[in-house]
Amino acid sequence: MNNTILLLQRSESKDTRTYETFDSPEKALEEIILMFKARLMALCPTTPHIKYSIEDLNRYIDKHQECRMLVLDSKSNSYMARDAQWIKASIKKVAEKVG
């Protein structure tokens, strides 16, 4: 069951708005990390092992015009909005697992 919606807007242009659904907030956070890694690989295609810090990942999140999640609260059966600050606070644990 998809209970998390990731909302991204890459620039000021409304044409860059996207959304994707996930089974959990953790899966959505993993996707942000994978997008960040793909961006790094595109910028440095000849570098075999790219290292980054949580601060680099946070800057990537901040570069988006919007980066938010809607997370289903099963008790109230409604979506709770999570902003970029919540995402940055939550992503560190997931980044340590993903590597």
Side-chain angles (χ1 to χ4, degrees):
M1 177 181 172
N2 294 332
N3 64 13
T4 302
I5 303 169
L6 174 61
L7 306 163
L8 291 175
Q9 184 173 340
R10 298 184 194 285
S11 70
E12 290 185 22
S13 171
K14 291 182 181 182
D15 293 339
T16 65
R17 288 180 177 170
T18 61
Y19 74 93
E20 193 168 347
T21 59
F22 297 90
D23 291 337
S24 68
E26 291 78 20
K27 293 289 184 191
L29 294 169
E30 287 175 11
E31 180 64 21
I32 293 171
I33 294 166
L34 292 174
M35 289 187 302
F36 174 61
K37 286 182 173 182
R39 179 72 179 138
L40 290 178
M41 291 175 69
L43 292 172
C44 307
T46 60
T47 305
H49 301 287
I50 298 174
K51 294 182 180 181
Y52 63 91
S53 68
I54 194 69
E55 290 80 16
D56 296 326
L57 184 54
N58 286 341
R59 279 191 291 276
Y60 171 76
I61 292 167
D62 287 338
K63 285 185 179 181
H64 287 79
Q65 186 72 21
E66 289 289 337
C67 184
R68 299 182 182 274
M69 282 188 202
L70 298 174
V71 179
L72 184 64
D73 177 16
S74 59
K75 291 179 183 175
S76 66
N77 201 32
S78 62
Y79 281 93
M80 306 298 292
R82 303 291 185 223
D83 64 7
Q85 292 304 99
W86 182 90
I87 292 170
K88 291 189 294 186
S90 302
I91 206 164
K92 184 176 181 179
K93 292 177 192 173
V94 176
E96 290 170 356
K97 283 191 228 176
V98 173

